[in-house]
Amino acid sequence: MRYPWLRLLLFLCVASVPCYWLYLAVADALGPDPGKVLVDSLGQGALVLLLCSLAMTPFRSLTGWPGWIVFRRQIGLWAFVYAVFHLIAYLYFLLGLDFSGLAAELIDRPYIAVGALALLGLSVLAATSTRWSMRKLGKRWKKLHRVVYPTLLIVLLHMLWVVRSDAGRWSLYASIAAVLLIARLPAVQRRLAEGQAKWRGAMNSKKLENNG
C-alpha cells in the first residue's frame, strides 16, 4: 500500500468531522434545530468530498504527483459514507423514523427523490470501486464510472432545491464543479499536460544550472 501514513491521516481527518458535529449536537451547540443542521452538514460534506475526489485527476495533471490518484478512491468512498449518514440523519431527525410518511414526503418534497437518485449513483460507484470490479469489468469500468458526472449534477440540483432562498454557497460549489468538469475536456487536458511538461523542464534546467 502506497502512502500508508497519508492515507491514515486522511482517514482520521475525514472521520473526525461527523464525530465533531455529533459532539456539538449533544452539547446543544448547533442552534434550536440541531437535527436539521446535522442533515444539511452531512449532505454538504458529501458534496465537498465528491468535488475533492474529482479534483484529484486535475491535480495530478498539474503537479505530476501520482499520489493524488491514490487518494481519489478513498475520498470518493467517504463521499458515499457521508451521503449514507445524510440519509440516516434525515430519516431519524426529520422523519422521526416514521416510514409511513415517506411516500407523502416524496410527493411534497421532490428534492428527496432527487437526493435518492444521487445516492443510487454514489452507491454504484462505491460498489464497483474495488480492484476486483476493475478487473471484472475491464474497459467497461471507466465507462461505468463516468456516472460520477451526472451524479454530481444531480447532487447539485438536490442542494439547490433545498437551499432555494440562500443559493450563495451553492453557487460556489457549482462554480467549482464547472471548473472540474471543464478540466476534463480533451483540449484542457492537453493544455494541462503541456504546462506540466514545461514546468518540469524548467525545474530540470534550474537543477542543472545549480549543479553546474
Side-chain angles (χ1 to χ4, degrees):
M1 179 186 294
R2 291 187 293 172
Y3 315 111
W5 291 108
L6 288 177
R7 284 172 180 257
L8 177 61
L9 179 61
L10 176 62
F11 173 87
L12 292 175
C13 289
V14 181
S16 65
V17 175
C19 296
Y20 177 64
W21 288 336
L22 188 59
Y23 162 76
L24 291 178
V26 173
D28 200 20
L30 292 182
D33 194 353
K36 186 176 186 308
V37 174
L38 278 175
V39 172
D40 293 343
S41 298
L42 287 165
Q44 290 187 43
L47 173 56
V48 168
L49 288 167
L50 183 58
L51 291 171
C52 287
S53 69
L54 288 171
M56 296 298 101
T57 299
F59 283 171
R60 182 193 61 178
S61 300
L62 285 170
T63 65
W65 186 52
W68 297 114
I69 301 303
V70 174
F71 301 125
R72 181 177 60 186
R73 174 176 172 271
Q74 186 179 2
I75 297 173
L77 286 173
W78 271 113
F80 168 70
V81 170
Y82 269 58
V84 172
F85 286 166
H86 173 63
L87 172 62
I88 294 172
Y90 163 74
L91 294 175
Y92 183 80
F93 292 109
L94 301 188
L95 197 63
L97 297 180
D98 180 15
F99 297 101
S100 61
L102 185 58
E105 283 281 292
L106 290 172
I107 295 173
D108 295 339
R109 298 177 175 85
Y111 61 81
I112 296 175
V114 174
L117 184 60
L119 181 59
L120 176 61
L122 290 174
S123 300
V124 171
L125 293 169
T128 58
S129 64
T130 62
R131 289 188 176 89
W132 181 86
S133 297
M134 294 176 69
R135 290 194 300 268
K136 192 73 175 177
L137 293 171
K139 294 181 179 179
R140 293 173 296 172
W141 186 86
K142 281 191 175 182
K143 292 181 178 179
L144 175 63
H145 272 242
R146 286 175 186 158
V147 75
V148 68
Y149 306 129
T151 298
L152 173 61
L153 298 178
I154 294 170
V155 171
L156 287 169
L157 175 61
H158 171 69
M159 182 181 176
L160 178 62
W161 218 325
V162 172
V163 300
R164 286 167 294 185
S165 59
D166 182 17
R169 188 175 298 180
W170 179 88
S171 299
L172 174 62
Y173 293 143
S175 299
I176 294 172
V179 170
L180 293 174
L181 293 176
I182 291 171
R184 280 164 166 75
L185 296 175
V188 177
Q189 288 182 335
R190 285 194 297 270
R191 288 292 183 89
L192 290 175
E194 290 170 2
Q196 180 198 354
K198 289 179 181 178
W199 181 80
R200 281 187 171 183
M203 293 300 294
N204 290 334
S205 299
K206 191 174 182 179
K207 285 181 180 179
L208 290 174
E209 290 176 2
N210 292 335
N211 292 334

